[in-house]
Amino acid sequence: MTRSRLVKYEHPGSPAESVRSGTMGPPSPTPTRKKLKSAPTDNLDTQSVARSFIRSHAPSAETWQRRDDDPDPILMEMRCRQNSFRGGQPGTPSSQNADASFAQQSFAHPTFADIGLKQKACNDTLGDLQTLGVSHVAALPELVLVGDQSSGKSSLMSGLARVSLPRSAGVCTRCPLHIRLRSSKNLRWSCTVSLQQDYDFQPTPGCKPTVDDVTPNNRFPPWVKMPRETKEFKTIFDRSEIEEVLRWAQIAILNHNQNFELFIPGEGAVAKETPLDVAARNTDAQFSPNIVALQINGPDLPDLSFYDMPGVFISPENEEDEYVVQVVKALTLEYIKREKAIIMWALPMNVDSETAISLGIIREAKAIDRTIGVMTKADQLPPQNIPNWLATFRGEKRLVGHGFFATSRPPESPLEDANKWEELFFDREVSINNQWPVEFADFRDRCGVEVLLQFLSRKLTEAFASSLPTIKNLVHARFKLIEKELAALPELPSNVEHEVKKSLFQFLHQIKSAVTDTEFSSEWNSLNSQFQACVFKMKPTCTVKDSDTQTIDISNLDSEAGTPVPPKRPRPSDSTVRNPRTPTRRTHQDSKTTPVKEEDLPMGGMSRASSIAGAARPKMPSPFAKFFHLGRCTMNIQNIRNDILRKQRPGMPRDLVPDEVRETLCLNAVKKWEKPLETYITKTAELLHRTAKAVLEESLGTLRRRLIFKECQEHLGKFINDGVAAQESRLADLFNSETYQLYMMNDDVFHRYKAQELEQLKRVRGIVRLKALALLPWDYNYTRPEEMTEQEKVAERKDLDTYLPKIGKDPYETEIEVAGFVRGYYMMAAARFVEGVTMNVNSNLLRDFRDGGLDEFMDSKFKIYSSSDPRSYMKLMDEDEKTAKRRLQLKGEMEKLERAMSSINELENSSDDVGLSDPTGTAIHSDIDMEEDAEA
């Protein structure tokens, strides 16, 4: 028995006829028995792709006249034939081949009139172009889904994408979403999520954007336009994972300046350690104009792509986020204003359509004629709104140019159940409180997501096919323009890799020579000598007076020159005890001395520092001069006595000195080396930087304008800074070792130093005592032993040996001995410290330059001793960073345009394969032929 079925004819104003879900063709005007006037549509001319796509060679509805004896209409199912048209990704041919093949075809012949027959191929090609991001070259047809918050967009998007996308707030409300659906022979479903970054995040530290920051020239603060970068986030094969992956992808795109791999679920550190809701609340940005893109492949999928915009809203959750309201509106307006965009306007049937915020944006963009109305939440239609929505369906209220469709998606239902439920709902076969009103029965052919999908696919194909000639010409023109601009940029050497490696080899060889040559060694040795002189100059001096009438301290003998102390008038009481014998007056000898006194230098055989001291020292101001005074008057015999008394246990002899007193005084003395040590390593670093700069200029000076010079300079500076930082750490360990506790192993050296210092202290103390008792003239000069003649030394020694035994034992003999101990230990530790510091620098920091450390570092940056991507060497030889950036940008764009041209060529060639080529057999092979053909 033949199964027949009633065919419903289109109501006036309806944009399309349809059959039951899953078996119908795209909606199109259909006459009733009496020919009615069709609603306005986007008609093309008789040669248009749209008409060739929707018509077959069978009699049209307009010419066919039904007879009384005609049998009942038989429903026939039409499906896209699966073929191998797009069996793989388009390749990336060379610019010459791509350009030649691209210019061979003309869009004037019937190939492009019939190309609409390849709906899948057209939509695939369009998806390729959208993914490549060539919309700045040619406006591409695209579907854009807009609507207010809570308008049912998420449910509608799930139905269109045929995947259960999350519907809760926050999934794609803070950035756009691009969904591309591709049917595949492969039975395995897959979804690749990627981040399409067209904007760079450049916030002002400590300052959040405000409404006033959103201007026509700065629509998405603090985001700044940049060339597109596409980063593949994750590919999944389980539909249940899509919600989690989408949420983390949005978090990654809102943390633009962080590594996106941190947020990949199951892989990234942040995704593993941080709960998703916590990560969503703590993003760097509140909103992003960058895109989360999904490419979904699988069997029985429609070939379609569309953008889903964040829902428009009026009031943010927090007052401080008021600017986000304006940013979302600006972003929605930008997409709607694109001249080739087909707008899907989602509006729920449980509210008044005239109150929708998004409708105002559509009107502002003058996009009413490009808009398709999609009614959502049909199952929530209030009875009192039925007349209003009936008038909308009938076209009595022309809100949009492409008519309206109705959808209804049950909450929390699997996709398969949702599709079946929707079909039963619009057939009034679902038992719910709000059944689909019978008044809408005439519009059944515009109800359901499947009906909408087919209509969208047809409209997108029509728009793309009609735009292909313009798109191709604009892409080709842009390609030629980029070729011309690249040709105008400075040419690179013929063998870039060879030139780069040769220059770097020369640089490394010269810097090794510079660090080992005489000039560098002489300057560094001079710095070592100055450092050593400073440390010895800082030897603690001791005030040896024991009453207010005595003003002489031993620091006078540690000055660079023996500056005489101004004579003071003796007390009258002293005249009676003054010795009538006056030693020979010695005239002060002003002699130039070296920064280091003879007695301050370590004795021969005590230390290896003599090799440093013996180096040539240029006459230049010492960078350590400001530290020379740090040791002056740091000890006082009265204070030493007080320390001994304070730290002695009761009953101990007064001349028994606690170890704590000696150790404290010694450690306080050596702790003053910290600042000179910092200056020493700083000056060493300056010397290395200065030497490296000179070598860089000498070896790579001819490449000063090229990027290799700047990058080599930056890497070299980093190498030196890293080495200096490591050296500072090692020297800090040495310093901490010296200041940790008093320590000595070479007793002989210590005792020699102590004896030398004690002898000097006792001499000065003796002179002070004799002058106080007027046994020596009051204006007797304290002269350094090395500046005295032998006669003067003998005379002074005779005076001291004669009078000191007569005045009795020195009451401060113990304190003088402690001071000698401290100064002797200081001299021994200073020699040890200076030797250790300079040797450590030589065997670590400078060794990295001499023995290959710099070579390894530079190889890690430039691949000098190994192979690398040739493009990295070409980048190094660009004129400067600005030129390199521009060249890289142009080459990236050219590569995209090549792939775009290849994709369009494949689409055109596939039409030839099925016999749709130009019947005249004319082929155009060059741009000149195109111009001549136009003239003809």
Side-chain angles (χ1 to χ4, degrees), residues 620-662:
M620 60 178 64
S622 172
F624 305 97
K626 57 186 176 181
F627 305 118
F628 289 172
H629 69 284
L630 294 181
R632 291 182 63 84
C633 301
T634 54
M635 292 188 295
N636 183 296
I637 57 175
Q638 188 62 54
N639 292 338
I640 294 175
R641 171 169 289 184
N642 294 337
D643 287 343
I644 294 172
L645 294 175
R646 188 166 50 250
K647 295 176 182 179
Q648 270 186 338
R649 294 198 307 270
M652 292 181 63
R654 191 187 63 79
D655 58 351
L656 185 60
V657 181
D659 291 342
E660 184 181 356
V661 174
R662 300 178 189 273

Side-chain angles (χ1 to χ4, degrees), residues 86 135 186 198-199 233 275 308 311 336 450-451 522 560 563 569 587 688 752 841-842 874 899-900:
R86 299 185 63 85
S135 57
N186 191 340
D198 298 306
Y199 294 84
F233 189 70
D308 174 45
I336 292 177
E450 292 298 319
V451 177
S522 174
E560 285 198 34
T563 305
R569 296 186 61 181
T587 304
L688 283 173
R752 283 199 293 270
V841 171
N842 183 64
M874 295 177 67
R899 293 169 60 187

Side-chain angles (χ1 to χ4, degrees), residues 197 201 223 248-260 263 270 279 282-285 288:
Q197 298 175 336
F201 187 57
W223 297 90
W248 279 110
Q250 178 180 254
I251 292 172
I253 218 163
L254 293 172
N255 292 287
H256 179 85
N257 294 330
Q258 298 186 48
N259 185 351
F260 75 97
F263 305 97
V270 175
N282 295 282
T283 55
D284 293 342
S288 174

Side-chain angles (χ1 to χ4, degrees), residues 370-397:
R370 296 185 279 110
T371 301
I372 303 166
V374 184
M375 304 172 185
T376 62
K377 304 183 180 180
D379 54 309
Q380 301 179 26
L381 171 63
Q384 63 271 21
N385 286 1
I386 292 177
N388 182 49
W389 289 107
L390 275 173
T392 302
F393 258 127
R394 292 178 180 135
E396 297 173 9
K397 301 168 68 174

